[in-house]
Amino acid sequence: MAKSTHTGIPWLRIIRRGLGPSVHFWPFDGWVVAAGRSAIAEVYPALWSRSFAHEDRGADQHDAYSVAAWLSRADHDGSLAAFMNPI
C-alpha cells in the first residue's frame, strides 16, 4: 500500500525547500555527495542488523541503531564513499 512512501515524499519536498543545495538526496542527486553536504538515502536495515548485538532495543530501535552504527563505522574506516559510489 506504500504508506511510508506517501508519508515520506511530502517531507522530502519540505526538506529540499528548506535546505536547498545543502542536502543531497542520494542517489537521485548523483552518486557522489559533495563535501559539506548532508545526505539523505533510503536504507535497508536488514543488511546490517544481524551484525550488531540486539541488547535491550526494540526491533525498530535496533534497525535504526544498526544503520547508524554501520554508517559511522564505514565513514571512519573510509569505506563509505566507495559504498555510495557503485560505479
Side-chain angles (χ1 to χ4, degrees):
M1 192 165 199
K3 289 179 190 177
S4 296
T5 300
H6 293 144
T7 302
I9 288 176
W11 282 108
L12 296 176
R13 185 175 183 199
I14 290 167
I15 292 167
R16 173 69 83 196
R17 283 184 171 172
L19 298 177
S22 66
V23 66
H24 182 100
F25 290 93
W26 182 91
F28 306 104
D29 290 337
W31 295 112
V32 178
V33 181
R37 282 187 162 183
S38 295
I40 295 179
E42 183 176 5
V43 297
Y44 187 62
L47 292 175
W48 308 296
S49 63
R50 288 184 222 119
S51 301
F52 298 94
H54 209 279
E55 298 179 8
D56 62 346
R57 293 180 284 272
D60 291 338
Q61 291 172 325
H62 185 68
D63 282 349
Y65 172 84
S66 299
V67 169
W70 183 87
L71 286 168
S72 178
R73 182 188 297 167
D75 186 36
H76 285 103
D77 72 15
S79 64
L80 184 57
F83 181 83
M84 292 184 72
N85 191 359
I87 298 174

